[in-house]
Amino acid sequence: ETARSPAMDMADKRWRILLAAMVNHPGAVDDFSERLALLNPPNAGLDRLLAELHTPRSHGLDSGGLHSHLMDNGFREVLDTILTPDVYKLAYDVQPSAEPEAVRRLCLHTIEKLEAEQLEAEYFALREAVREAPEDEALALRFVQIAESRNRHREQLHRLDDMDDASWQLTGTE
């Protein structure tokens, strides 16, 4: 097994925080479904769980009903990795007793961070591809678009960080 980078570990933690919030507060899935659909979880188990949270079978269930549904449908192992004291220590607001607005803020910031990480990865991959094929105009255009998107996203993250520093630190992004 190869060692994971700290950035990958942080992304994995963010995904666990986000999915714990979604399982414990199912309404958050609806609030962020479009943005979640554009993200790529770091492993197959988390990806399957995210997909299941978007199915009609999962829609409209309260936290207890969703938890039972997931346990009955083969998600016990994944739930055992996200509904843990370690995840609750990282982000208190994913617990079932958390206030909905606190959960929403936590989810929003966590999604913002995951989007930023995904943009960064795409930016660096495209930058390398453009270096290898500088004559590819479509590739160069895509790189410019991603670079602009990356810059806008960074500005947005800075504004969010300024608005509520204490809440964001709970996601492990000190």
Side-chain angles (χ1 to χ4, degrees):
E1 182 174 314
T2 61
R4 295 183 67 187
S5 73
M8 289 180 78
D9 287 338
M10 187 54 66
D12 187 68
K13 287 176 185 175
R14 284 191 184 103
W15 271 104
R16 291 177 195 288
I17 289 167
L18 183 60
L19 291 171
M22 302 279 164
V23 170
N24 288 333
H25 304 274
V29 175
D30 295 335
D31 292 343
F32 299 106
S33 63
E34 289 179 21
R35 292 176 79 177
L36 289 169
L38 300 174
L39 294 173
N40 303 311
N43 67 55
L46 298 179
D47 191 39
R48 276 186 44 243
L49 177 58
L50 180 62
E52 182 64 26
L53 291 174
H54 284 92
T55 65
R57 297 182 302 264
S58 298
H59 188 72
L61 297 174
D62 66 8
S63 178
L66 179 59
H67 189 269
S68 294
H69 164 74
L70 293 170
M71 294 293 274
D72 292 344
N73 287 281
F75 289 93
R76 176 180 303 276
E77 191 173 307
V78 176
L79 292 177
D80 286 347
T81 69
I82 65 168
L83 302 179
T84 68
D86 287 341
V87 171
Y88 294 152
K89 282 182 203 171
L90 287 170
Y92 179 82
D93 289 333
V94 303
Q95 296 185 47
S97 60
E99 293 295 320
E101 186 53 33
V103 173
R104 189 188 169 300
R105 280 194 322 264
L106 178 94
C107 288
L108 175 62
H109 188 70
T110 304
I111 289 168
E112 289 284 339
K113 291 300 235 178
L114 290 167
E115 288 171 338
E117 290 165 359
Q118 198 163 296
L119 273 172
E120 283 294 307
E122 190 171 357
Y123 170 84
F124 287 113
L126 281 170
R127 184 177 74 178
E128 199 56 39
V130 167
R131 284 181 180 159
E132 292 174 12
E135 69 286 346
D136 187 334
E137 290 180 21
L139 191 62
L141 178 60
R142 179 71 181 139
F143 175 71
V144 169
Q145 291 169 335
I146 288 297
E148 290 171 353
S149 182
R150 173 182 174 242
N151 291 338
R152 281 191 307 273
H153 203 274
R154 283 180 164 182
E155 289 171 12
Q156 186 175 357
L157 274 176
H158 288 300
R159 282 194 302 274
L160 283 174
D161 284 342
D162 291 343
M163 288 185 338
D164 194 353
D165 249 353
S167 178
W168 308 151
Q169 289 178 1
L170 293 175
T171 64
T173 61
E174 303 171 323

